[in-house]
Amino acid sequence: MNFRQIKYFVATAETGQVSRAANALSISQSAVTTAIRELETEIGTELFTRTAHGMEMTQSGRELLALSYEILTKIDEAVNIRERASGTTGRILVATTYTVIGYFLPYHLDRIARMHPNLDIQVHELNRESVEEGLLANRFDIAIVLTSNISNPELETDTLLRSTRRLWVPQGHRLADRRKVQFSEISEEDYIMLTVDEAANTTMKYWTFGSTPPRVKMRTSSIEAVRSMVANGQGVTVLSDMVYRPWSLEGRRIVTVETDPVVPSMDVGLAWRRGTEMTPATQVLYTYFRQAFNTPQI
C-alpha cells in the first residue's frame, strides 16, 4: 500500500466517478483504475461496486475512507513540520461567501491551523457585494470567493479552482445515460433553481444557449433542498462539481451529465484590494493556497 493508491482512492470516493477523480488529479483514468485495483488486491476485498453511473463504496470502502483521511492528515503534518516551526504569527481577517465556506474552505482552514498554529484567522461570511465593499474599505485582509462573480476593477483576483458545471438528474431519469444533453432538452424538464451566491443570475446568463428559458418549478437558497428535489424526481438542475454529492439526504442517487454546449465553470479563488501590500500573516495564507493548487489537491 502506498500514498499514491490512498490519494487516488480518496479522490474516487469523494467524486463518485473514476473520470472525475482523474480530472481532479490531472492524471489518466487508467492510472486511477490501476491504483484502486492494486489497493483492492493488497487489502483482499472490493472497495467499490462498479455501476453504470459511477463508483459506489462498499462497507470496506467506507471503513478505509475514514482511515485514509487519518493517514493523509498524518502525512500532511509530517510534510509541514518546517512550516509549523516557522512561528509566523498575526491576525488575518478573511471574507468569504456561502458556497465557498460550505463546500471549499473548511478542509483548508483545518490544514492551515495545523501548519501554522500561531495564526489567528477570523472568517466572516457575507454576500459578494459586502465582501467587495469590505475589501475596498480595508475591513478584510483577503477574501476567498467565487472569482467568476468578481468584476470590480479595484480588486485583484487569483483563481485556484475551476469547477465544471453539469446537469443533475435522478438515477433512472431519461437523460441519465446520455453522454451530453442540449439545453433544448433540459428546457422540457421542471427546473430547480438555486439562488444563493448569484446562482440564479449566472444560470440565466448561460441559459441563452437554449431556445427557450428554463421551466422553473422551485427557487431556493438551499443546496441541500436542490439536491433532495432532484434526487426525488421533482426536477433537474445545472450546478458545479464542487457542490455535487452522489446521494441526497434521503439516500437517493443523483447522476450528472455534461451539457452541450459546455457551461462556464464556477471559479474559486482569492481576492484583495488592488495595490495593497499583504501583511506577513496574510502572505502565509496566500502562499498556502498557491502551493496547494500548484499541484492538484483533493
Side-chain angles (χ1 to χ4, degrees):
M1 186 184 300
N2 58 51
F3 172 69
R4 174 182 58 84
Q5 293 168 342
I6 291 294
K7 185 175 181 180
Y8 293 6
F9 163 72
V10 170
T12 305
E14 289 183 339
T15 59
Q17 293 182 354
V18 170
S19 59
R20 286 187 174 181
N23 182 57
L25 294 162
S26 296
I27 59 175
S28 67
Q29 293 186 35
S30 61
V32 176
T33 301
T34 299
I36 291 173
R37 286 176 178 168
E38 290 173 349
L39 195 54
E40 289 178 326
T41 300
E42 180 76 21
I43 296 174
T45 186
E46 287 191 348
L47 301 173
F48 295 98
T49 299
R50 281 75 171 170
T51 73
H53 302 297
M55 305 282 277
E56 297 181 9
M57 275 188 293
T58 62
Q59 180 58 38
S60 296
R62 286 189 286 272
E63 292 178 12
L64 180 61
L65 181 61
L67 293 172
S68 295
Y69 283 136
E70 293 182 22
I71 292 170
L72 294 178
T73 296
K74 294 302 181 184
I75 291 175
D76 226 14
E77 291 175 356
V79 169
N80 293 294
I81 288 175
R82 181 177 60 82
E83 283 81 355
R84 292 201 303 278
S86 67
T88 304
T89 62
R91 185 179 67 170
I92 312 171
L93 299 177
V94 178
T96 189
T97 57
Y98 172 88
T99 303
V100 176
I101 200 170
Y103 295 90
F104 176 81
L105 200 50
Y107 168 78
H108 295 287
L109 288 176
D110 178 58
R111 288 192 73 202
I112 295 167
R114 285 185 280 108
M115 292 169 61
H116 304 284
N118 295 321
L119 289 181
D120 176 16
I121 301 176
Q122 299 184 8
V123 181
H124 301 261
E125 179 192 334
L126 303 161
N127 58 38
R128 178 187 58 81
E129 292 86 351
S130 296
V131 169
E132 292 186 2
E133 180 186 352
L135 288 173
L136 296 176
N138 292 321
R139 289 197 299 273
F140 303 114
D141 299 305
I142 199 167
I144 305 169
V145 292
L146 300 182
T147 52
S148 46
N149 289 351
I150 300 291
S151 59
N152 193 316
E154 297 182 67
L155 297 178
E156 289 192 52
T157 61
D158 190 345
T159 295
L160 305 169
L161 170 71
R162 300 186 189 278
S163 181
T164 302
R165 287 184 169 101
R166 306 176 202 267
L167 174 68
W168 294 13
V169 299
Q171 187 173 25
H173 190 275
R174 69 181 184 92
L175 301 175
D177 294 325
R178 296 278 295 278
R179 184 172 176 271
K180 292 186 177 182
V181 178
Q182 296 183 341
F183 277 82
S184 58
E185 298 173 280
I186 301 174
S187 65
E188 297 173 0
E189 303 288 330
D190 286 338
Y191 195 87
I192 311 301
M193 179 79 77
L194 183 68
T195 59
V196 72
D197 278 344
E198 304 172 89
N201 293 337
T202 303
T203 297
M204 296 313 298
K205 287 178 182 177
Y206 60 69
W207 201 267
T208 55
F209 295 151
S211 57
T212 57
R215 196 167 73 194
V216 179
K217 179 176 182 177
M218 175 181 174
R219 297 176 185 268
T220 176
S221 61
S222 168
I223 293 176
E224 292 308 320
V226 173
R227 200 186 319 279
S228 290
M229 291 290 286
V230 171
N232 292 338
Q234 297 301 307
V236 303
T237 196
V238 175
L239 288 175
S240 79
D241 286 350
M242 191 178 82
V243 301
Y244 171 76
R245 302 292 182 272
W247 302 97
S248 70
L249 294 175
E250 298 82 9
R252 295 182 177 177
R253 180 85 177 182
I254 298 169
V255 179
T256 64
V257 187
E258 291 184 15
T259 61
D260 183 16
V262 174
V263 174
S265 61
M266 184 181 78
D267 302 341
V268 181
L270 308 172
W272 62 96
R273 182 176 179 176
R274 186 176 297 278
T276 298
E277 183 176 350
M278 294 184 183
T279 65
T282 305
Q283 186 64 51
V284 167
L285 184 72
Y286 176 82
T287 300
Y288 161 81
F289 278 108
R290 289 306 308 147
Q291 292 178 345
F293 286 89
N294 277 339
T295 55
Q297 300 286 319
I298 291 294

